[in-house]
Every structure is written in structure tokens, then in C-alpha cells.
Amino acid sequence: MTAPSADLAALAQSYGVATEFWDWQGVHTIVSAETIQRVLTALGVTVETDADVLQARDEVWLRTWRRTLPPTVVMRAGWTPWIPVHVPHGSSVRVEIALEDGGIIPVRQVDNWVAPRSVDGVETGEATFELPGDLPLGWHILHAFVEGRDEPACATVIVTPHRLELPAGLSHRRMVGLMTQVYQLRSANSYGVGDLADLADLATWGAADLGCDWVLVNPLHAAQVQAPMEASPYLPTTRRFVNPLYIRVEDIPEVGYLPSATRAAIAELSRSGQALNTGATIDRDASWTVKRAALQLVFDAGLSDRRRRAFDGFCEREGQGLVDFATWCALSDVHGDAWNEWPETLRSPGTAEVAAFREENAAAINFFRWLQWVLEDQLAATQRLAKEAGMALGVVHDLAVGVHPSGADAWGLGDALARGIDVGAPPDQFNQVGQNWSQPPWRPDRLADLGYAPYRDMLRTILRHAGGLRVDHIIGLFRLWWVPRGAAPDQGTYVRYDHEALVGILALEAQRAGAVVVGEDLGTVEPWARDYL
């Protein structure tokens, strides 16, 4: 192992990459230069030579000075942070906040002298503005109007609560609940795999007969649309959207209005699916083959005007993220589910070839969007029935740590996820050779550049019809163990995240949803992080 040079170590630390750590036995460990170089490369930093390292280190400060505004500001309610605004030296600037609800608030400049610097040959000054402490919770936009520029610079401002309180009407008391893997919750009407109707039956029984306040389920994130379907709910293709394997076909409203011949065809498929219930093990692929055929028949029958408007509203709300996911599903039907093995021109959602595919396969893409709309309806019904039966919380969902490296999120989110890196865990008392979970991690820098929108959208989907959320490996909101692809699990290092942002946004979205949050802690959480939570 080659230890990092002082310059490489300093560069790594400026990017939140650990150059040393203490392992589970308290042994001080130096991270190899090779690991640090590969992690920095995944963060978009060129470190091939010593000269590259020196140049990258000298330009660290330029990352902020090249921007008029920081990409994202996360603050708690009542805080009054100072924001640097970089402009050509001597230029005037005016700053205001466009509130989430449509209001405009001017931002006050404060007297804070900062010496100008030369940035890419331009003498650049720094003005300082103080955000007001009475901003409402939510997502706002900061605008900086710089003299001589036609368009303002923009930044996301996220105001989060100081703490996540219990939902209204819920008291601090001991609660009892159920836990289940939905896929094993089979009933006589299942297609060999438990579904959301089965979950609703369990929840209402648990509330009415056992006095339960919640039912905790495995992650319901979507898996592949082609066999073989990934068995682990903790290695999904996306964390934002839901696996249509959990749909109860007969509960879709359109089924009741189908022609008799179509209903007969669905009944025949239903019998084939129900025959899978006798198997000693769960056959996801067989179940999905039958259920998908039945769902296709329902989709092909079309929607009433009323239902069409509701579906269109859902698609508008979910926006481009839903389009990209549905496009990945349709592409998978043609090219297989590993997007990194597709033709080069299809490996990014923004290419002309993908746009052409969308136009040529609009019906297939609409089918996959429709599946998510059906799931939204059935998730809402499940939660409503659980609460009506007496559960205080209802369904508590589970958020996996990450996604499959060749799945929909890895394709659709682009460089928001690190390339050539897997998430895992260092050697510990549970696994003394370390772990590699084969999941690409968020890039902390790109999350900030994107205003944390992918993270927010994911949370909103999973919290929309939830009484609570269990976050797997909660320490991942503070730091993650990055393993260069192809390296042994113990040849990784920790990368820090902005936990104030990630935990704050989680609290904000959970408060808006009226949900509680549970963080999974297997004992590997740093003590200060546990205190912070």
C-alpha cells in the first residue's frame, strides 16, 4: 500500500474524502493513495499525476468563487446565514428570495469586507448577504441580479425544521406493531406474491383484532421489468418508484367496466397466478409474467375522461423523473435491463436517439407510467384503510441504502451517482473482510448542484402514503464507505455528506407528510452522529 502524499491528502480532505480512520477494533488505518485517487476521480477531480494534484489543490477555492451563488443553501427555521455573492469587482448586485408560495422577499446586504481575487483572469469581488430568519419552511429560490447581466443567478434555499415532531394527535407512548415482507404475504387471491390488498388485509386485522398502531414493510422499490427479477428488495432499480408486482389487478377500477371477453381473459390469468401460491418458494418471475399480461389487458382498455384527467395530473406532477423511469423500463424490454450494455447512444436519457425511441414507443412508455399511477391509488387505499381501522401510524415504509448499478436510477440520474464506485462497509465484527453492496452512491457535490431535487423527489414518493419511514443504514446520511469498483471491500474509504442538508430535508419532507422517521443503527454509527439524530 502506498500512503498518500501530503498534497493528495489535503486535496482529499477538501472534498470530504477520508485519508485515515479508526477501524472497529480501534486500530488507526491509513487509506492508500490508490483508493483516494480513484475516489477523487469519481468526484470529477483529475489526479493522474502529481502536477494534477497540485493544480487541483490550488484551485479548490475557485469552486466557490467561480459561482455567483452557492448552488444550495440549507438552513433551519430561524437561522440567519450569511451568503457570499461573487460578482465582477465593483459591480452592484441585488438579492431576493422567491418563496415557494409565490411571494418575494428582499435580502439585506451586510458590511463584510472580503478582498477581491483574480478568477480566470477576472477581478472578482465578494458581497455578503444575510438571509432573513423568518423564512417559512420549504423550498425557495434565491436570485442575485448582477449589474450588466441579463439573467439573475439562482440558488436553492431549503428551510428545515429544528426537529421532527410527532404527527398531530399522536402522543408519546409505547406502541405495538407488525412487521412483514409484503412479497411473502400471500393470500388465496395473490398471484404467487403478496400484494397491496394483502397488506391492507393484514393492517386492518392487526388494528382491529390486535390493537396494532403500525405495520412495517420491506422496501417496495421497483425491480427489473424483465426476468430474472432481483430478489432482494434492498437492491432495487430505483428508490423513487414502486414495484408493480405489488398491484392487485382486480382492485383497479377499470376492471369492473371491461368487456366480458376481456374479464374472462383476466380471470384465466388470475387462476394461473393463484396456482403459484402452492409453491414452496416465491417465483417472482412467473408471478410478474402472469400479472403483467393481466395489467396490459386493463391498460389497453383505456380510461374514462374522469380517470384520464387524474392520470394526466399524476404524470404532470411526477414530471421528467417518471418519464425517464418509464423510458428505461421500455428500453429494458428491448435491450435488457443492463443499460451499460445498451448501444452507446441509448446510455443517457438526454440523447436524440432516446428521444426518438420515446416517440416511437409512446404507448409502451405510457403503460409503465400508468402502472405507477395504479400503485399510487392502491398505496393510498392501503394507508387509508389502515388508519380507518385504528392504526395510529399505518404503513411504515423502508428506504434502501442505494440502487442497482445497471438500473433505472443509475441510468436516469446521470452523474448524480458516482461512476466506478460501490457502497459497502469496512471490516467490522459482523463481517471481518468488509462488505460490497454493489450500489453506486450519491455524489455529494452533484446533489448540492441539483438543489437536492433527486433526493427530495425520492422521499416525497415514499412518504406520500406513509405513516412512517425506516431509513436503512442511517449513517449513510453522514458518511458512506466508497469502494472503487473491482477492489476488495477493505480497500475503500469514507466520504462525508452534508448531514445537515440530508437529515434536514428528510425531517422537512416527513413533517409535511405527517410521518415519523426511524433510523437503523447497527452499532456502527459514530457517537456524535447518534447524538445529532
Side-chain angles (χ1 to χ4, degrees):
M1 184 199 79
T2 303
S5 66
D7 289 323
L8 181 60
L11 178 64
Q13 289 163 9
S14 70
Y15 279 87
V17 179
T19 60
E20 59 181 351
F21 62 94
W22 281 258
D23 70 12
W24 67 286
Q25 293 178 314
V27 176
H28 182 239
T29 303
I30 301 296
V31 181
S32 72
E34 294 79 6
T35 292
I36 293 172
Q37 288 169 332
R38 291 190 62 183
V39 169
L40 285 171
T41 298
L43 288 168
V45 186
T46 301
V47 288
E48 293 181 4
T49 67
D50 291 342
D52 291 336
V53 172
L54 288 173
Q55 181 177 351
R57 185 183 174 190
D58 290 343
E59 291 189 354
V60 164
W61 63 274
L62 284 170
R63 287 183 293 162
T64 55
W65 279 75
R66 282 178 173 145
R67 293 179 176 273
T68 302
L69 293 169
T72 303
V73 178
V74 180
M75 56 182 283
R76 298 195 206 180
W79 284 4
T80 56
W82 285 11
I83 306 301
V85 183
H86 298 110
V87 299
H89 186 52
S91 297
S92 63
V93 59
R94 174 173 58 87
V95 178
E96 64 185 29
I97 293 178
L99 297 177
E100 190 175 25
D101 65 3
I104 300 291
I105 295 179
V107 180
R108 181 178 70 90
Q109 186 171 359
V110 296
D111 186 11
N112 179 47
W113 167 253
V114 178
R117 294 187 178 190
S118 178
V119 179
D120 300 325
V122 177
E123 192 74 0
T124 303
E126 181 177 289
T128 305
F129 288 77
E130 182 180 83
L131 297 186
D134 59 352
L135 290 175
L137 296 179
W139 299 76
H140 315 299
I141 302 295
L142 188 69
H143 294 291
F145 299 87
V146 181
E147 178 186 0
R149 295 180 183 172
D150 294 334
E151 297 294 330
C154 301
T156 302
V157 175
I158 308 166
V159 184
T160 67
H162 279 274
R163 57 179 287 136
L164 177 60
E165 303 291 350
L166 287 175
L170 201 64
S171 61
H172 287 272
R173 61 180 176 84
R174 188 178 183 89
M175 290 186 174
V176 175
L178 303 169
M179 181 174 70
T180 186
Q181 314 299 323
V182 175
Y183 48 80
Q184 74 175 22
L185 194 61
R186 302 193 295 193
S187 68
N189 293 319
S190 305
Y191 284 36
V193 175
D195 58 32
L196 291 173
D198 296 320
L199 177 60
D201 286 342
L202 176 70
T204 53
W205 168 75
D209 290 11
L210 303 179
C212 292
D213 287 300
W214 45 265
V215 54
L216 171 66
V217 300
N218 58 276
L220 302 184
H221 312 315
Q224 297 88 339
V225 296
Q226 287 289 324
M229 184 179 289
E230 171 61 49
S232 172
Y234 292 94
L235 191 60
T237 190
T238 175
R239 292 190 292 173
R240 178 175 174 182
F241 299 106
V242 184
N243 194 336
L245 187 65
Y246 296 121
I247 291 174
R248 173 63 66 86
V249 177
E250 292 74 16
D251 284 357
I252 302 173
E254 281 67 37
V255 171
Y257 301 95
L258 293 174
S260 57
T262 307
R263 286 203 305 270
I266 290 176
E268 183 61 32
L269 289 167
S270 178
R271 284 189 287 272
S272 297
Q274 291 165 7
L276 296 170
N277 288 323
T278 60
T281 57
I282 292 171
D283 189 340
R284 291 169 175 79
D285 297 336
S287 174
W288 175 234
T289 297
V290 175
K291 183 168 287 187
R292 177 172 175 171
L295 289 166
Q296 188 71 59
L297 289 172
V298 181
F299 172 77
D300 290 342
L303 297 169
S304 66
D305 289 344
R306 172 180 60 84
R307 292 276 287 169
R308 168 63 61 183
R309 284 191 290 272
F311 174 56
D312 290 345
F314 169 80
C315 292
E316 182 178 356
R317 186 192 72 202
E318 295 302 320
Q320 191 62 41
L322 177 61
V323 172
D324 287 344
F325 170 68
T327 302
W328 178 88
C329 292
L331 280 164
S332 296
D333 272 345
V334 178
H335 298 286
D337 57 30
W339 65 267
N340 46 3
E341 298 176 3
W342 294 350
E344 188 70 34
T345 55
L346 299 177
R347 295 182 186 179
S348 170
T351 67
E353 288 77 9
V354 169
F357 178 88
R358 284 192 178 117
E359 188 171 338
E360 295 165 4
N361 297 272
I365 290 169
N366 228 25
F367 171 66
F368 289 108
R369 293 201 297 172
W370 174 80
L371 291 175
Q372 294 302 312
W373 178 59
V374 171
L375 282 159
E376 163 115 338
D377 271 0
Q378 295 196 359
L379 284 165
T382 300
Q383 174 67 359
R384 184 185 69 252
L385 290 167
K387 297 292 291 289
E388 288 175 352
M391 283 192 165
L393 292 177
V395 182
V396 178
H397 288 269
D398 198 348
L399 177 63
V401 176
V403 295
H404 199 288
S406 62
D409 278 359
W411 179 77
L413 296 178
D415 64 357
L417 298 175
R419 305 297 191 189
I421 296 291
D422 294 323
V423 170
D428 56 25
Q429 62 266 44
F430 299 106
N431 192 322
Q432 296 185 19
V433 297
Q435 300 175 60
N436 185 331
W437 302 329
S438 301
Q439 299 167 333
W442 292 118
R443 273 183 57 172
D445 57 331
R446 288 295 292 141
L447 269 184
D449 290 342
L450 295 167
Y452 292 91
Y455 177 66
R456 174 201 63 198
D457 293 343
M458 175 191 72
L459 291 175
R460 283 183 177 176
T461 297
I462 198 170
L463 285 166
R464 188 168 291 127
H465 303 297
L469 178 63
R470 172 193 179 273
V471 181
D472 193 39
H473 195 63
I474 190 72
I475 193 61
L477 303 185
F478 296 78
R479 67 177 186 179
L480 277 173
W481 183 254
W482 284 29
V483 181
R485 192 153 297 159
D490 63 348
Q491 297 303 303
T493 189
Y494 286 110
V495 174
R496 290 279 177 191
Y497 289 79
D498 185 346
H499 60 273
E500 179 67 33
L502 294 178
V503 177
I505 292 169
L506 174 62
L508 171 63
E509 294 302 321
Q511 177 170 308
R512 287 183 158 187
V516 300
V517 174
V518 177
E520 181 234 14
D521 171 10
L522 285 179
T524 57
V525 175
E526 298 168 291
W528 73 267
R530 189 177 293 115
D531 292 341
Y532 178 92
L533 291 170

